Amino acid sequence: GDSVTQMEGPVTLSEEAFLTINCTYTATGYPSLFWYVQYPGEGLQLLLKATKADDKGSNKGFEATYRKETTSFHLEKGSVQVSDSAVYFCALRGSNYKLTFGKGTLLTVNP
Amino acid sequence: KAGVTQTPRYLIKTRGQQVTLSCSPISGHRSVSWYQQTPGQGLQFLFEYFSETQRNKGNFPGRFSGRQFSNSRSEMNVSTLELGDSALYLCASSTGQGPYEQYFGPGTRLTVT
């Protein structure tokens, strides 16, 4: 079945540091890939998406590129802010329509 | 456009009782999916409804059930509650077609005592 593996963290960075959260997946066919973010006490918000190989999703300074050859969709940001502190989830949507999530990565950014 | 709404936001129930959670999707969206989020198991897919029909189902016991109404609103029911059912229940709305993205509500926090 479909699966998503992401670094579980926690990840602690200083403001303005570079962020990478690794995500790899296993799926049949050509899944769509997503990154969601969850702030404390809230539901999930879609951060970015990519629907085919080599697509780059981007939003709010975050980027991720759909790499089919390495089955990866790593999240990056060049300069993190305290307000980026949250839990980040990598997810895929396969041919069966349901979303499969990774376990989430807690990011804490210190001033 | 209004977002996904879930009611109630918080709920405390006793073991053995049953509970019904409600989700109103974004206007025009025909698909509603339900997820259970716990610290130990993370986000787990419960089921998806599209145009009043269950299109997909996760690996949960039959105590977990759902339905969708003609206006796309959805309810989830859990019968014979167990302590392990304590979780954040999230509902997600989408068009249900194409490479659609899902938009999540704030969740219902269920505590079973």
Side-chain angles (χ1 to χ4, degrees):
Chain A
D2 297 343
S3 67
V4 175
T5 302
Q6 66 177 102
M7 56 190 287
E8 293 190 20
V11 174
T12 302
L13 297 173
S14 298
E15 208 165 21
E16 299 184 3
F18 184 85
L19 169 71
T20 299
I21 301 177
N22 290 335
C23 171
T24 57
Y25 68 89
T26 302
T28 54
Y30 301 93
S32 295
L33 301 174
F34 306 88
W35 277 99
Y36 282 86
V37 58
Q38 186 175 35
Y39 297 100
E42 298 184 12
L44 275 69
Q45 296 178 26
L46 177 65
L47 183 59
L48 53 83
K49 68 176 182 180
T51 59
K52 61 183 188 298
D54 299 326
D55 265 3
K56 177 186 281 189
S58 61
N59 186 27
K60 300 180 182 179
F62 291 90
E63 293 183 340
T65 301
Y66 189 147
R67 302 285 188 200
K68 190 160 180 63
E69 64 276 12
T70 55
T71 61
S72 65
F73 192 55
H74 305 321
L75 182 68
E76 296 182 336
K77 186 175 185 183
S79 175
V80 294
Q81 305 300 312
V82 172
S83 58
D84 294 327
S85 298
V87 180
Y88 292 81
F89 292 92
C90 183
L92 72 82
R93 188 186 72 86
S95 56
N96 58 7
Y97 299 105
K98 69 170 183 158
L99 277 177
T100 300
F101 287 89
K103 290 194 177 295
T105 301
L106 172 62
L107 169 66
T108 301
V109 180
N110 295 318
Chain B
K1 200 181 249 191
V4 180
T5 58
Q6 291 188 246
T7 56
R9 292 292 312 277
Y10 301 93
L11 207 48
I12 299 175
K13 289 287 188 179
T14 303
R15 193 170 45 184
Q17 288 185 316
Q18 75 165 19
V19 67
T20 299
L21 312 181
S22 180
C23 172
S24 292
I26 292 169
S27 178
H29 284 187
R30 294 163 62 191
S31 167
V32 173
S33 298
W34 289 90
Y35 296 84
Q36 181 195 65
Q37 186 177 27
T38 59
Q41 299 298 316
L43 280 156
Q44 294 186 284
F45 172 76
L46 282 153
F47 31 66
E48 180 202 12
Y49 285 86
F50 177 73
S51 294
E52 302 180 66
T53 300
Q54 188 180 85
R55 181 160 70 174
N56 220 332
K57 190 177 187 310
N59 297 321
F60 278 80
R63 299 185 298 107
F64 292 81
S65 63
R67 59 177 175 169
Q68 187 178 33
F69 302 95
S70 58
N71 61 358
S72 293
R73 189 177 70 85
S74 177
E75 287 183 348
M76 189 191 90
N77 184 275
V78 188
S79 63
T80 319
L81 283 166
E82 300 177 359
L83 295 179
D85 297 333
S86 294
L88 181 66
Y89 290 89
L90 294 163
C91 122
S93 150
S94 73
T95 61
Q97 297 170 309
Y100 59 88
E101 51 263 36
Q102 296 189 2
Y103 297 90
F104 284 78
T108 294
R109 172 74 62 185
L110 171 65
T111 302
V112 181
T113 62

